[in-house]
Amino acid sequence: MTALNIEVRAFNHPDVVALVEQIQQFYLISYGSRDDDRTPPEQFAPPQGLFLVGYLDERPVACGGWRRLDPATAEIKRMWIAEAVRGRGLARVMLGELEATAAAAGVSRITLNTGYLQTEAMALYESSGYVRTEDRYGHYADFDGAHFFAKTL
């Protein structure tokens, strides 16, 4: 397997825009609508957060970001692996890099949420040490189909 080359990117970088549009198309097909969570892009810029893009052979195929919720807690958002390259362990690599960069920035707890149809994502998070939590927050706090997870770094 070719190694995933992970680079920091601004949220308005063309590769980020293209990958986030893939995510939105997935939501549209799977859930019937685009994700209308409007996290401000500046929350993915240091020191508040970070956004990463993973490249295989110079092609953007993975992304994810984190943003601080408080000084010790960050939320992972917009984690995505292009369908054509799934099953190669790239999601675990990206998740690990998101955790490592957040920890290096002083974060000690990671949270995230995902939709009920994303069973592969939930399995990845649980196998990576995340536990389901009823500590619900943000845009999807009151949505029954949202599953929230947390991990202490």
Side-chain angles (χ1 to χ4, degrees), residues 23-35 113-119 121-122 140 143 145-147:
I23 299 168
Q24 291 291 6
Q25 288 302 310
F26 169 81
Y27 293 146
L28 184 60
I29 292 165
S30 300
Y31 295 102
S33 66
R34 296 168 68 89
D35 181 2
N113 70 75
T114 193
Y116 67 96
L117 294 176
Q118 292 161 263
T119 55
M122 288 186 273
Y140 292 104
F143 183 66
H147 297 279

Side-chain angles (χ1 to χ4, degrees), residues 7-9 11 16 20 44 50-53 63-65 77-78:
E7 300 289 339
V8 175
R9 295 289 185 247
F11 199 73
V16 174
V20 169
F44 293 112
L50 198 67
F51 205 88
L52 305 173
V53 173
C63 68
K77 295 189 71 65
R78 303 292 184 239

